[in-house]
């Protein structure tokens, strides 16, 4: 650390510099009133998304999932679960069994496969052929190629379902762009790819969003879990809504899980006064400009890039790195989101911050390190607060509909930002609780929720199919 360059400046110029940095970063700070406003607008869009006459133009689509509150019990046995939604694709073998104490037991084996940029942005056929290839590899490794297992597919993109095992992809998000998938039945694409290979058979019984899989997997631990949320590469939430208000689906009784797809919030201008110059650049240079604006303020796909743009602004204002950025720092995507977690997790000796900045080709002073940390805190705190306002909207809506004196609710959560950032959770929980009076909220983290959830819902779907077949 001895080699850290010291800024040749007096105390007053240090102070001046810090004040100017603070001024630039203060734009990220949201007052409680502003968060309330975000929450109110979110609730309004949710309402519009649920109603037939406003659904089309609503930014928050509130997609019915056909996952209902009337459990039919579940089958036991082996299930295959697939999880597609980020840079990795996972295949899992899930054994659902009976357990004397809790009524059920789940064991998993899984294998991770990385999805190349080419697969993400080529054709749908290429992407699904690759997925089928991965499944085939997994079945070989597990020596179960001969078995025709029921399969649950966690597909973490906006899907308009017709049923639990049928739904069309509305639009890609998170850097996926495979052509020929949007507007098509995703389960059909998977079935076709499996047929094309012809070396194994599968019975695709359910497709769910990752928020839904997370909620289901947590529901089995805690029967009050009626909300699922992801803050990872993308950001989204689902919750159990009263059937009578899910106007897109017939029926009045019970509840259905609604995938809010709140990441798209902002498409009707609801976030304009909160979006900053950095947000606009992130959006304009993304694969889906004008879309997923709320998600772009929060999720891991964009957080590092937001910080990088803030750092470049500070460099341009001569407030950082002596006014000079390295070529690497000037390169889009070079500041990874995990750096934000690592920098804010620095124990105070600045070692971690120094190391990260060195790998980016800059030699920071101690003050530079502190300023970089402030920039990270500003971006990630705004993300936590914005996200908190959204979840508070969901929970307040549930309380309004159910009208208990106190709504007792559990939220199942997954995602790298939520799990790995050292302060995101606390900041997020605090805002949610501040904005939800008369609610008693428990947050639980899901473990392998995507895979376990998909398998569990498949087990339920199999049971339902069996029920329908047996007179
Ligand atoms: C997708 C959602 C998903 C979320 C978290 C978003 O980009 O639209 O369907 O739940 O990411 O993975």
């Amino acid at each position: 650390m001895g080699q850290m360059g010291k800024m040749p400046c007096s105390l007053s110029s240090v102070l001046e510099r810090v004040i100017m940095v603070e001024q630039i970063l203060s734009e990220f700070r949201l007052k409680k009133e502003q968060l309330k406003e975000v929450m109110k607008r979110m609730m309004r869009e949710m309402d519009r998304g649920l109603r037939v006459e406003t659904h089309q133009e609503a930014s928050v689509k509130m997609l019915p999932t056909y996952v209902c509150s009337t459990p039919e019990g579940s089958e036991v046995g082996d299930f295959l679960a697939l999880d597609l939604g980020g840079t990795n694709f996972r295949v899992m073998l899930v054994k659902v069994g009976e357990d004397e104490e809790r009524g059920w037991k789940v064991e998993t084996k899984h294998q991770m496969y990385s999805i190349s940029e080419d697969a993400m942005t080529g054709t749908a056929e290429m992407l699904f052929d690759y997925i089928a290839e991965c499944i085939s590899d997994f079945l070989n490794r597990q020596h179960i190629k001969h078995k025709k297992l029921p399969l649950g597919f966690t597909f973490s993109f906006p899907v308009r379902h017709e049923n639990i095992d049928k739904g069309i992809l509305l639009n890609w998000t998170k850097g996926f762009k495979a052509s020929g998938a949007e507007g098509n039945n995703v389960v059909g694409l998977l079935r076709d790819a499996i047929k094309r290979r012809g070396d194994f058979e599968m019975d695709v019984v359910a497709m769910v969003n990752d928020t839904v899989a997370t909620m289901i997997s947590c529901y089995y631990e805690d029967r009050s879990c009626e909300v699922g949320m992801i803050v990872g590469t993308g950001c989204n939430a689902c919750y159990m809504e009263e059937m009578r208000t899910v106007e897109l689906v017939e029926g009045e009784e019970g509840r259905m899980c609604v995938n809010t797809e709140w990441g798209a919030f902002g498409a009707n201008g609801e976030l304009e006064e909160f979006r900053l110059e950095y947000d606009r650049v992130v959006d304009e240079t993304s694969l889906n400009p004008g879309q997923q604006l709320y998600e772009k303020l929060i999720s891991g796909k964009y957080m590092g890039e937001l910080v990088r743009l803030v750092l470049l602004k500070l460099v341009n204002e001569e407030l950082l790195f002596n006014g000079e950025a390295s070529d690497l720092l000037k390169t889009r995507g070079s500041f990874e989101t995990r750096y934000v977690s690592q920098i804010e997790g620095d124990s105070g000796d600045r070692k971690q911050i120094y190391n990260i900045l060195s790998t980016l080709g800059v030699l920071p002073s101690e003050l530079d390190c502190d300023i970089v940390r402030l920039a990270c805190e500003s971006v990630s705190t705004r993300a936590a607060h914005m996200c908190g306002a959204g979840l508070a909207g969901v929970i307040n809506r549930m309380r309004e509909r159910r009208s208990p004196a106190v709504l007792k609710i559990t939220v199942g959560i997954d995602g790298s930002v939520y799990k790995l950032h050292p302060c995101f959770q606390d900041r997020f929980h605090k805002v949610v609780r501040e904005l939800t009076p008369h609610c008693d909220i428990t947050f639980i983290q899901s473990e392998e929720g995507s895979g376990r959830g998909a398998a569990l819902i498949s087990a339920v779907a199999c049971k339902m199919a069996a029920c329908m077949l047996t007179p």
Side-chain angles (χ1 to χ4, degrees):
M1 297 292 289
Q3 72 274 39
M4 258 196 210
K6 290 253 191 286
M7 290 283 290
C9 50
S10 67
L11 187 60
S12 70
S13 70
V14 168
L15 263 181
E16 207 174 293
R17 194 169 143 207
V18 171
I19 289 169
M20 285 166 79
V21 168
E22 281 283 348
Q23 204 171 6
I24 288 173
L25 297 181
S26 68
E27 286 188 310
F28 282 91
R29 224 163 288 142
L30 295 165
K31 297 195 184 70
K32 189 166 175 189
E33 283 318 305
Q34 293 175 301
L35 290 172
K36 267 194 183 159
E37 184 56 35
V38 172
M39 175 182 86
K40 263 179 35 201
R41 291 182 197 177
M42 176 69 86
M43 289 173 80
R44 182 163 173 271
E45 280 310 293
M46 287 172 60
D47 204 58
R48 279 159 39 82
L50 284 168
R51 287 182 198 280
V52 168
E53 71 269 25
T54 42
H55 174 79
Q56 202 63 30
E57 72 240 27
S59 63
V60 181
K61 286 289 176 225
M62 307 294 277
L63 302 167
T65 64
Y66 292 83
V67 170
C68 299
S69 58
T70 43
E72 308 283 337
S74 63
E75 291 286 353
V76 293
D78 287 359
F79 295 87
L80 205 72
L82 308 181
D83 179 10
L84 178 72
T87 42
N88 290 315
F89 168 63
R90 279 204 310 172
V91 188
M92 265 189 174
L93 177 64
V94 185
K95 289 180 184 296
V96 180
E98 285 175 49
D99 181 274
E100 274 182 20
E101 262 173 44
R102 306 164 80 187
W104 60 275
K105 178 171 91 184
V106 180
E107 279 171 21
T108 58
K109 283 190 188 136
H110 64 96
Q111 178 81 38
M112 197 104 101
Y113 300 89
S114 65
I115 305 250
S116 66
E117 188 102 9
D118 285 351
M120 278 158 93
T121 55
T123 66
E125 226 176 73
M126 279 157 63
L127 176 64
F128 281 88
D129 278 346
Y130 176 64
I131 287 173
E133 185 187 325
C134 297
I135 303 173
S136 172
D137 174 73
F138 181 79
L139 297 175
N140 279 335
R141 285 168 189 257
Q142 301 294 330
H143 310 291
I144 48 171
K145 199 112 186 220
H146 56 285
K147 285 192 183 173
K148 184 178 179 185
L149 294 177
L151 181 149
F153 187 11
T154 300
F155 182 74
S156 312
F157 301 94
V159 166
R160 186 180 302 289
H161 279 265
E162 240 174 66
N163 214 321
I164 184 119
D165 66 349
K166 186 168 185 197
I168 61 158
L169 171 65
L170 293 179
N171 52 272
W172 286 116
T173 60
K174 299 177 285 196
F176 277 72
K177 208 70 206 170
S179 60
E182 290 176 348
N184 282 318
N185 175 19
V186 181
V187 174
L189 294 173
L190 176 63
R191 284 192 182 125
D192 290 350
I194 294 176
K195 248 191 232 141
R196 273 198 295 279
R197 276 193 76 82
D199 64 341
F200 65 90
E201 286 187 305
M202 280 291 135
D203 186 12
V204 189
V205 293
M207 172 170 60
V208 285
N209 188 258
D210 51 355
T211 55
V212 181
T214 298
M215 183 190 79
I216 292 167
S217 76
C218 293
Y219 176 80
Y220 279 82
E221 314 282 332
D222 174 345
R223 298 293 149 135
S224 305
C225 183
E226 290 192 83
V227 183
M229 191 182 87
I230 303 284
V231 198
T233 309
C235 181
N236 189 18
C238 71
Y239 71 105
M240 296 305 293
E241 176 60 271
E242 311 305 312
M243 260 308 270
R244 67 189 135 82
T245 54
V246 186
E247 289 188 6
L248 268 57
V249 179
E250 273 179 38
E252 303 280 302
E253 293 304 309
R255 292 176 185 150
M256 181 180 277
C257 179
V258 167
N259 169 14
T260 65
E261 285 297 334
W262 77 15
F265 181 54
N268 290 337
E270 307 94 321
L271 290 166
E272 278 328 287
E273 71 257 45
F274 305 107
R275 293 176 65 230
L276 306 175
E277 55 185 277
Y278 325 100
D279 301 309
R280 293 181 204 282
V281 174
V282 161
D283 179 45
E284 281 155 19
T285 53
S286 70
L287 280 179
N288 53 351
Q291 295 179 358
Q292 301 293 105
L293 297 180
Y294 182 63
E295 173 165 271
K296 284 171 182 162
L297 300 176
I298 299 169
S299 79
K301 172 89 187 154
Y302 311 99
M303 191 183 280
E305 181 64 4
L306 280 174
V307 170
R308 189 185 72 86
L309 293 168
V310 174
L311 298 184
L312 287 184
K313 161 89 171 185
L314 296 172
V315 168
N316 280 341
E317 299 289 320
E318 311 235 332
L319 296 166
L320 192 62
F321 310 143
N322 284 323
E324 261 180 64
S326 64
D327 286 343
L328 200 50
L329 195 61
K330 286 186 205 148
T331 310
R332 194 161 82 90
S334 62
F335 200 99
E336 296 175 30
T337 294
R338 67 188 166 95
Y339 296 161
V340 183
S341 296
Q342 287 163 1
I343 286 171
E344 288 185 63
D346 183 273
S347 59
D349 61 7
R350 304 185 185 87
K351 248 191 202 147
Q352 202 134 277
I353 309 179
Y354 183 83
N355 288 341
I356 289 170
L357 293 174
S358 323
T359 62
L360 287 168
V362 282
L363 282 184
S365 68
E366 291 195 349
L367 186 54
D368 283 335
C369 290
D370 295 345
I371 291 174
V372 169
R373 186 186 180 124
L374 284 176
C376 290
E377 282 171 2
S378 303
V379 172
S380 67
T381 304
R382 182 189 64 163
H385 289 177
M386 271 288 178
C387 188
L391 188 69
V394 169
I395 291 176
N396 282 331
R397 181 184 165 85
M398 292 172 92
R399 183 167 169 271
E400 276 174 16
R401 291 289 171 281
R402 302 180 184 189
S403 53
V406 173
L407 175 73
K408 193 167 162 30
I409 190 99
T410 297
V411 183
I413 313 189
D414 207 341
S416 50
V417 172
Y418 185 83
K419 280 184 166 168
L420 304 180
H421 188 285
C423 328
F424 188 93
Q425 287 188 24
D426 288 348
R427 297 171 189 156
F428 168 78
H429 294 167
K430 187 159 175 272
V431 162
V432 176
R433 293 202 166 103
E434 266 174 26
L435 296 177
T436 51
H438 313 296
C439 295
D440 175 2
I441 309 169
T442 307
F443 297 97
I444 56 175
Q445 283 192 24
S446 96
E447 298 306 328
E448 293 187 332
S450 282
R452 285 191 322 135
L456 288 168
I457 199 67
S458 305
V460 174
C462 282
K463 181 78 172 187
M464 283 164 75
C467 289
M468 282 184 330
L469 292 174
T470 341

